[in-house]
Amino acid sequence: MENEKESVKVLIVDDEQDIRTLLNIYLKRLGYDVVEAADGVEAVETVRADKDIDLIVMDIMMPKLSGTEACQQIREFSSIPVLFLTAKTKEPDQNEAYDVGGDDFLAKPFTQSEFNRKVNALIRRYKVYCGKSETDPKNISVGNINIDSFKRIVIKNGEVIKLTDKEYALLFFLVEHRGKPWSLEALYENIWQEKYLPSSSNTVMVHILRLRQKIEDNSAQPEIIRTIYGKGYQVD
């Protein structure tokens, strides 16, 4: 585990030096390497130049280029996960963060343990179901939907389907492991990165239902995400 952490690099993007210093301390305590950028423009340039970055932790309100604007530009060439940090906590602000390709959202002020959980979960998911191999296909087609793995968006009939982070993670995981049924327990522990409990089944099933309602032509008779009775869910 320690060797895995040593290979992880995180980019901190914030115009306040005190915040960058604090996050640097948190991340180094986790065993991660850290690079910094003071604004959105520098962040885009850093990600373009450094192919070893595994996660971007980025403030939204910054001069020159905001965090959401920077994320939008980064999504043109990279699928590196982005964790937004911001004091703006209203739903429209969160929606904008996700719409431009952000992966998760942490409202200020936050505790060190909250920050650590978000960071570790995003890095694990990136390494498990996405990865950063340059040989990975940018576009993946399943049925009548197309997944752009760089921009982390799903398109159906020419229109972008708005998925939550967990919905996208579920879909991408099943597509990347197509042809194999996955149980509720396996899906929960891979996507939520938490220990499975009996109540976790409902969480997975609700997300599958919502995902089907968004991507299937008929969610009552799904053709993309199929139920394999006694085994779980599967994408062929």
Side-chain angles (χ1 to χ4, degrees):
M1 179 62 70
E2 190 64 30
N3 289 336
E4 179 183 339
K5 287 188 176 181
E6 288 176 358
S7 67
V8 171
K9 182 184 289 187
V10 180
L11 169 63
I12 301 170
V13 188
D14 199 298
D15 58 316
E16 296 186 32
Q17 179 62 61
D18 289 346
I19 298 295
R20 298 201 305 273
T21 299
L22 179 63
L23 297 182
N24 199 313
I25 292 171
Y26 288 171
L27 291 166
K28 287 186 175 177
R29 283 176 180 170
L30 291 172
Y32 299 144
D33 295 328
V34 179
V35 289
E36 299 181 14
D39 55 60
V41 172
E42 188 178 346
V44 176
E45 294 173 348
T46 301
V47 175
R48 197 183 296 275
D50 191 341
K51 304 302 182 184
D52 293 327
I53 295 173
D54 298 285
L55 173 67
I56 304 168
V57 177
M58 183 151 55
D59 188 28
I60 290 182
M61 300 297 291
M62 294 186 294
K64 296 185 180 179
L65 198 67
S66 71
T68 52
E69 292 170 332
C71 182
Q72 202 163 20
Q73 291 190 22
I74 289 169
R75 283 292 170 261
E76 294 297 324
F77 61 88
S78 175
S79 61
I80 296 170
V82 175
L83 171 61
F84 281 118
L85 307 178
T86 181
K88 299 173 68 177
T89 57
K90 293 183 179 180
E91 187 173 348
D93 300 319
Q94 296 186 32
N95 289 340
E96 180 187 9
Y98 290 125
D99 288 345
V100 298
D103 295 270
D104 210 340
F105 189 101
L106 187 57
K108 297 177 180 177
F110 50 83
T111 65
Q112 182 176 352
S113 60
E114 289 175 321
F115 176 78
N116 289 353
R117 285 197 299 271
K118 295 277 189 180
V119 166
N120 287 333
L122 284 172
I123 289 173
R124 282 196 301 266
R125 290 207 300 269
Y126 183 51
K127 288 181 173 293
V128 168
Y129 75 80
C130 183
K132 58 181 183 180
S133 170
E134 296 299 324
T135 61
D136 285 348
K138 177 180 179 181
N139 296 299
I140 305 169
S141 295
V142 182
N144 63 347
I145 67 168
N146 181 268
I147 304 172
D148 187 325
S149 61
F150 276 5
K151 296 182 180 180
R152 302 174 74 81
I153 59 174
V154 176
I155 300 171
K156 179 181 179 181
N157 300 328
E159 295 186 2
V160 174
I161 305 299
K162 292 186 178 181
L163 301 181
T164 66
D165 175 53
K166 290 295 189 297
E167 289 168 353
Y168 179 88
L170 273 169
L171 178 61
F172 199 97
F173 184 89
L174 289 168
V175 169
E176 282 289 278
H177 299 87
R178 60 202 309 172
K180 175 182 177 180
W182 289 85
S183 67
L184 293 170
E185 180 177 357
L187 287 173
Y188 187 80
E189 293 191 345
N190 274 284
I191 305 304
W192 276 262
Q193 295 291 329
E194 297 174 2
K195 182 176 177 55
Y196 178 83
L197 300 172
S199 59
S200 306
S201 295
N202 188 59
T203 299
V204 179
M205 289 189 291
V206 167
H207 279 76
I208 290 289
L209 174 61
R210 291 175 180 169
L211 184 55
R212 281 172 166 169
Q213 290 171 339
K214 293 179 180 182
I215 67 172
E216 301 278 1
D217 290 334
N218 182 356
S219 60
Q221 296 180 323
E223 297 181 355
I224 298 174
I225 301 178
R226 298 193 303 116
T227 299
I228 309 299
Y229 292 100
K231 295 184 178 181
Y233 298 102
Q234 176 177 317
V235 170
D236 293 326

